[in-house]
Amino acid sequence: MRKISDSTIRRLSLYLRFLEQATTQGRTTISSGELAKLGGTTSAQVRKDLSFFGSFGKRGLGYTVPELASRIRDILGLQRGYRVVLVGAGRMGGALVQYQGFKQRGFHIAAIYDQDARKIGSRWNGLVVRDVRHLETDLKKERSDIAIVATPADSAQQVVDRLVRCGVKAILNFAPVPLAVPPDVRVKHVNMALELETLSYALANR
Amino acid sequence: MRKISDSTIRRLSLYLRFLEQATTQGRTTISSGELAKLGGTTSAQVRKDLSFFGSFGKRGLGYTVPELASRIRDILGLQRGYRVVLVGAGRMGGALVQYQGFKQRGFHIAAIYDQDARKIGSRWNGLVVRDVRHLETDLKKERSDIAIVATPADSAQQVVDRLVRCGVKAILNFAPVPLAVPPDVRVKHVNMALELETLSYALANR
């Protein structure tokens, strides 16, 4: 398969949300124009995004809602569930554990780790915060494909090295540092300030 | 100025971080190759990103660190500070208020609002949560260019309408709904699950 850009993948995620809304509204078809409008893009872009993955929809009739939703779930790897471990029981970790959107998409936070004795043993959203020393033994018992790192900047790389050694292949990083990982591990950085910077850019360049 | 893509802006933000790290390490020059390596991209991309905004660096010598940092701060509109209001004192709002990265970049969260009587009056990171009813009168007294919306999905649009009427021009949205705004208002959506979906896509398509 050819290399698909991150922005195409992000738009597919958005289209899936609109398709799910359409489903709850009992709708059976949707046009590329409508998906485009909801996603703030053009019909041509919608058709192009989908064309990477085969042929969908009928000219003049649009897309069949449940069929397209199911195809996008396939493409995004969302037909299965994911066991996710979270390292870092700080403020951000706390918000993430409660975040409803993860479970809805099949991402189950299965364990939380911290190194702070005051946090270890406390209960968060039904999970008990575990000592990060148990990371290796826990992951040996139950593998996780995805980890969320929400530690302070100075411990993130060390935590990531340990996760990678335990076979974690995808990391969502909230720590404000670049991370080094082997080529077969994928890292996504979430940087709140960076999002605000695209806004300040827009404000400065009106 | 021609329209610059969001991905270019995001990379500029990253380059700025690397330039700041280089500054603290006492370095005076940096090559496009090095910026590329840190940002996980190519030298050609770095040069292209910067070329939109003029001519930087000298062939064979690279970029002067403080000069390039200052130019990128200009481009991103970061030479000034921003007064930011936050609506929604839930878990995510709480994490955002404590987020150090905002203040470091000149984004000052100046007020927090909620409609929940149990939250109003409580103190968060030195700020007292205010009744969202005061939004209009507060913003009339002190304008804000940027707002962060971290309310539940079903109240987000109504809050955004009120912010827009008060002159807010840029919104960082954490509520999991698309938002309608006038053409002169910019919205950035932060969707944690969407970030995980780009990871599950990578896992599914290895």
Side-chain angles (χ1 to χ4, degrees), chain A residues 147-166:
Chain A
I148 299 177
V149 174
T151 65
D154 52 8
S155 45
Q157 181 65 56
Q158 184 234 69
V159 162
V160 165
D161 291 344
R162 293 171 62 187
L163 289 165
V164 166
R165 276 198 299 271
C166 294

Side-chain angles (χ1 to χ4, degrees), chain B residues 56-186:
Chain B
F56 303 94
K58 287 201 186 108
R59 192 173 289 270
L61 288 175
Y63 304 103
T64 311
V65 170
E67 191 190 317
L68 185 57
S70 167
R71 257 317 263 133
I72 295 182
R73 267 188 224 104
D74 269 343
I75 294 166
L76 295 177
L78 295 176
Q79 304 282 29
R80 52 164 287 200
Y82 291 90
R83 214 179 157 273
V84 178
V85 296
L86 170 64
V87 186
R91 276 268 177 186
M92 187 55 72
L96 294 171
V97 165
Q98 301 249 337
Y99 189 67
Q100 293 302 318
F102 288 151
K103 207 176 242 174
Q104 281 165 18
R105 310 313 275 177
F107 300 106
H108 299 275
I109 297 185
I112 320 170
Y113 297 90
D114 206 285
Q115 58 172 11
D116 183 342
R118 286 164 302 178
K119 285 173 185 162
I120 295 164
S122 63
R123 191 171 279 275
W124 282 30
N125 214 28
L127 289 170
V128 175
V129 177
R130 288 181 60 74
D131 190 328
V132 73
R133 280 185 294 176
H134 301 309
L135 195 61
E136 282 81 0
T137 35
D138 286 3
L139 282 173
K140 204 171 279 177
K141 272 186 237 154
E142 279 199 278
R143 268 190 62 130
S144 283
D145 287 321
I146 303 182
I148 300 177
V149 174
T151 65
D154 52 9
S155 45
Q157 182 65 57
Q158 183 234 66
V159 162
V160 165
D161 292 343
R162 292 171 61 187
L163 289 165
V164 167
R165 277 198 299 271
C166 295
V168 168
K169 293 296 179 202
I171 291 166
L172 188 64
N173 175 40
F174 285 83
V177 277
L179 295 172
V181 291
D184 65 329
V185 177
R186 187 70 194 277

Side-chain angles (χ1 to χ4, degrees), chain A residues 40-200:
Chain A
T41 181
T42 62
S43 313
Q45 183 70 63
V46 171
R47 286 192 296 265
K48 193 180 161 206
D49 288 337
L50 295 173
S51 74
F52 291 122
F53 304 97
S55 162
F56 302 94
K58 287 200 187 111
R59 192 174 289 270
L61 288 175
Y63 305 103
T64 311
V65 171
E67 190 189 319
L68 184 58
S70 166
R71 254 320 260 135
I72 294 181
R73 266 188 225 104
D74 268 344
I75 293 166
L76 295 177
L78 295 176
Q79 304 280 33
R80 53 164 284 200
Y82 290 90
R83 211 178 161 272
V84 177
V85 295
L86 169 64
V87 185
R91 277 270 177 184
M92 188 53 74
L96 294 171
V97 165
Q98 302 250 336
Y99 188 66
Q100 293 302 317
F102 288 150
K103 208 177 241 173
Q104 282 165 18
R105 310 313 276 179
F107 300 106
H108 300 275
I109 296 184
I112 320 170
Y113 297 90
D114 206 286
Q115 59 173 14
D116 183 343
R118 288 164 301 180
K119 286 173 185 163
I120 295 166
S122 62
R123 192 172 278 276
W124 283 31
N125 212 28
L127 289 171
V128 174
V129 176
R130 287 180 61 75
D131 190 327
V132 72
R133 277 185 297 177
H134 301 308
L135 195 61
E136 283 81 2
T137 34
D138 286 3
L139 283 172
K140 204 170 279 179
K141 273 185 235 152
E142 279 198 279
R143 267 190 63 127
S144 284
D145 287 321
I146 302 182
I148 299 177
V149 174
T151 65
D154 52 8
S155 45
Q157 181 65 56
Q158 184 234 69
V159 162
V160 165
D161 291 344
R162 293 171 62 187
L163 289 165
V164 166
R165 276 198 299 271
C166 294
V168 168
K169 293 295 179 202
I171 291 166
L172 187 64
N173 175 39
F174 285 82
V177 277
L179 295 172
V181 291
D184 65 329
V185 177
R186 187 72 193 275
V187 177
K188 278 292 289 183
H189 294 274
V190 179
N191 186 319
M192 307 293 176
L194 209 129
E195 303 298 336
L196 278 184
E197 284 170 29
T198 62
L199 289 176
S200 68

